[in-house]
Amino acid sequence: MEKQAEGRRPRAVRRVLIAAVAGCAVLGGALALWPWERPAAPRPVAPAPGAQALTAVTSGVPAALPDLAMLIAGREARVRAHPKDAQSWAVLGTAYVEQGRRTADATNYPRAEKALRTSLKVREKGNAAALDGMAALANARRDFRSARTWGRAALKLAPKRWSTYPLLIDAYTGLGDYKAAKKTLDRLLELHPGAAAVRARAAALYRDRGWREDAAAALSDAAAAAGTPAEQAAWLERSGQLAFERGDLEEALRRFQAAVRLDPDQRAAQAGQGRTLAALGRTTEALNAYRVALDKQPCPQYALELGELYESLGMADAARAEYDVLGARVQDEVTGGVDDDLVRGVFEADHGDPRAAVRLLRAEWRRQPGTEVADALGWALHMAGDDKGALKFAMAATDKVHGGAVRSALYAYHRGMIEQELELAWPARRHLQEALRINPYFSPLRVPLAKQALAALGDPPDEPLPKGSPGAEDD
């Protein structure tokens, strides 16, 4: 009996163990169904205040203003506690540049220069970050010669530092050296082809060369690959600009609105909405959009556009008020070290003293002979009565052989009006038609004038354009 009992014990024990395991399995399965019994998933670590802005600033992409403010506050505290921290001084200076650019507050630029020069003083050698910051500051101030000098110094120190290349591209473009800009872009695409900022930079150069479809595709890719809402909003804003330039108003408005939804501080997109809504005839909305943009980013260009919109509506007093705002903002920017001779010259040519505009723009042309300056100087000379001199610069802004590859309705309009004054009917008609073909909504003031000029020129005669006459060659 004892032997039989002993033989049964292992089997009994096994049955008990099996039952216990099964019971535990059922109990465990039941407990797993209760959500409060599940082990908590690890929470993602929140980024440090200003972390996104730090990444953006150090890689040369747009940063959100609230995050940028936190970054600046943190770095200010850091350099107070550690005044020999060259890296923090460089980050602080570059962040000031970005804040000045985003807010149109030029008082940031002297602060930026002080921080960046302190960084270079603390670390004289091997400080590529501070050299990049100085190049960014010079570009923001429209001092493209200095930007080129600082950018080249940074590149010599760190040839594979990809964030330097966009700064040099901006400098070369401002100086009218489009071959150097293209060469620099090619090298950038070799180093860092997939980055959203690189694609956006490529789009800007494609646009300047007249490759609008390539530019649009590159900007769409950049927006899709952007790392933050602020960066995506910036590329959408540029995409909206491109759509407006080709007269696609609905697409432009969609892009601008999407940019503002992503980043409510994207004031360039709000000004773009104003520009586009005005072209769509939605005047009240357009005026509101411009006012919102100017309230937070009082950029002289926005004030000029709003003033001209008021002028086109016959609201002379309101226009004059905006032109006064423009003058005050220009003075503020000049105090901050910004070269505003281009916007001042454009304003004086159309709304002030054309001879003063010529003086300003001739000096600007000597410093940095880019396409924008060529067009502005040509128009100023025309408004001052020197149409022969004006045509030379208008051709430089519009002829591919002279570097003017960008398809600009305004540039074509300026050239057509100058040619009309010189009684060059064929090319005048062609360039005025081209302006309206590129963008029939390019300016609320100038589109009616272009149509009037075309009507005055009448239909072209049947005989072909005389060989060798101005405008006979392809642009």
Side-chain angles (χ1 to χ4, degrees):
M1 293 291 293
E2 288 180 1
K3 287 182 180 179
Q4 289 177 350
E6 287 175 1
R8 288 195 294 269
R9 279 192 196 109
R11 289 196 293 272
V13 171
R14 282 197 297 270
R15 285 196 294 271
V16 172
L17 288 172
I18 290 169
V21 169
C24 287
V26 172
L27 179 60
L31 289 174
L33 296 176
W34 298 95
W36 58 79
E37 294 292 341
R38 290 178 181 172
R43 294 183 180 179
V45 178
Q52 285 189 341
L54 174 62
T55 301
V57 163
T58 54
S59 57
V61 301
L65 281 177
D67 206 34
L68 192 61
M70 286 191 288
L71 173 63
I72 288 172
R75 293 294 158 156
E76 286 175 338
R78 172 71 184 178
V79 297
R80 281 195 297 270
H82 303 277
K84 297 296 184 182
D85 185 348
Q87 182 65 22
S88 288
W89 279 115
V91 169
L92 178 60
T94 307
Y96 282 142
V97 175
E98 174 69 358
Q99 191 175 59
R101 188 189 66 81
R102 289 293 312 268
T103 61
D105 183 357
T107 60
N108 283 279
Y109 298 149
R111 289 198 289 266
E113 183 171 0
K114 181 179 179 181
L116 292 165
R117 290 194 181 278
T118 301
S119 179
L120 288 168
K121 183 178 179 181
V122 171
R123 186 192 300 166
E124 296 182 12
K125 296 181 180 180
N127 196 345
L131 294 173
D132 271 4
M134 291 296 291
L137 174 61
N139 277 328
R141 285 172 156 171
R142 288 189 51 83
D143 182 359
F144 298 119
R145 289 189 186 278
S146 293
R148 180 181 62 185
T149 299
W150 290 113
R152 284 175 172 174
L155 207 59
K156 184 178 180 180
L157 186 63
K160 293 186 178 181
R161 184 182 172 87
W162 74 267
S163 56
T164 304
Y165 287 82
L167 301 170
L168 270 174
I169 292 170
D170 285 345
Y172 287 134
T173 301
L175 292 169
D177 191 347
Y178 301 105
K179 289 183 179 179
K182 175 63 167 58
K183 184 179 178 180
T184 307
L185 174 63
D186 290 343
R187 178 59 179 147
L188 175 59
L189 290 170
E190 290 174 7
L191 285 173
H192 208 53
V198 174
R199 297 179 190 184
R201 178 54 53 210
L205 202 60
Y206 296 157
R207 179 258 183 197
D208 290 344
R209 294 174 68 86
W211 303 344
R212 294 197 303 190
E213 290 184 2
D214 292 331
L219 279 172
S220 293
D221 289 344
T228 65
E231 184 186 3
Q232 187 178 23
W235 309 147
L236 285 170
E237 187 274 328
R238 292 191 189 179
S239 183
Q241 281 189 44
L242 197 65
F244 181 83
E245 287 175 1
R246 65 175 183 265
D248 189 347
L249 300 184
E250 296 296 341
E251 178 65 17
L253 188 59
R254 280 195 295 271
R255 298 282 177 160
F256 290 136
Q257 289 173 335
V260 173
R261 282 195 298 272
L262 283 165
D263 180 5
D265 293 315
Q266 178 48 256
R267 307 303 175 186
Q270 287 169 328
Q273 286 186 61
R275 196 178 309 124
T276 309
L277 290 164
L280 287 167
R282 295 160 60 176
T283 306
T284 301
E285 294 172 83
L287 294 173
N288 288 336
Y290 269 122
R291 291 188 192 109
V292 169
L294 273 163
D295 183 50
K296 297 295 184 181
Q297 188 182 8
C299 175
Q301 181 62 34
Y302 305 162
L304 178 58
E305 290 181 20
L306 179 55
E308 291 188 341
L309 177 56
Y310 278 130
E311 194 171 335
S312 73
L313 297 170
M315 302 170 67
D317 290 341
R320 178 51 55 190
E322 293 306 323
Y323 297 152
D324 290 343
V325 169
L326 182 150
R329 293 304 303 151
V330 164
Q331 188 55 51
D332 290 343
E333 292 199 342
V334 170
T335 302
V338 178
D339 176 1
D340 259 342
D341 282 357
L342 177 58
V343 70
R344 290 167 64 198
V346 168
F347 170 75
E348 291 292 346
D350 278 317
H351 307 288
D353 181 351
R355 293 188 183 278
V358 170
R359 289 194 296 272
L360 287 167
L361 293 167
R362 279 199 188 279
E364 185 76 359
W365 176 256
R366 286 192 293 270
R367 287 192 299 272
Q368 34 209 32
T371 301
E372 256 190 312
V373 182
D375 170 71
L377 177 53
W379 187 247
L381 286 164
H382 162 71
M383 295 298 287
D386 182 4
D387 288 300
K388 288 184 179 179
L391 185 57
K392 170 187 171 183
F393 289 100
M395 291 175 67
T398 53
D399 281 348
K400 290 181 181 179
V401 70
H402 292 97
V406 61
R407 296 198 66 204
S408 166
L410 180 63
Y411 296 178
Y413 163 79
H414 283 163
R415 180 169 175 177
M417 296 296 280
I418 292 165
E419 288 165 334
Q420 183 195 36
E421 195 66 26
L422 291 169
E423 298 183 354
L424 302 171
W426 276 96
R429 186 181 296 108
R430 183 158 64 91
H431 287 115
L432 290 170
Q433 289 172 339
E434 182 184 1
L436 296 172
R437 186 167 56 249
I438 291 170
N439 181 4
Y441 318 100
F442 68 92
S443 164
L445 278 181
R446 295 166 187 82
V447 166
L449 296 176
K451 291 178 178 179
Q452 290 173 18
L454 275 171
L457 286 165
D459 294 329
D462 293 334
E463 63 268 16
L465 184 65
K467 186 176 180 180
S469 62
E473 72 283 355
D474 291 335
D475 284 347

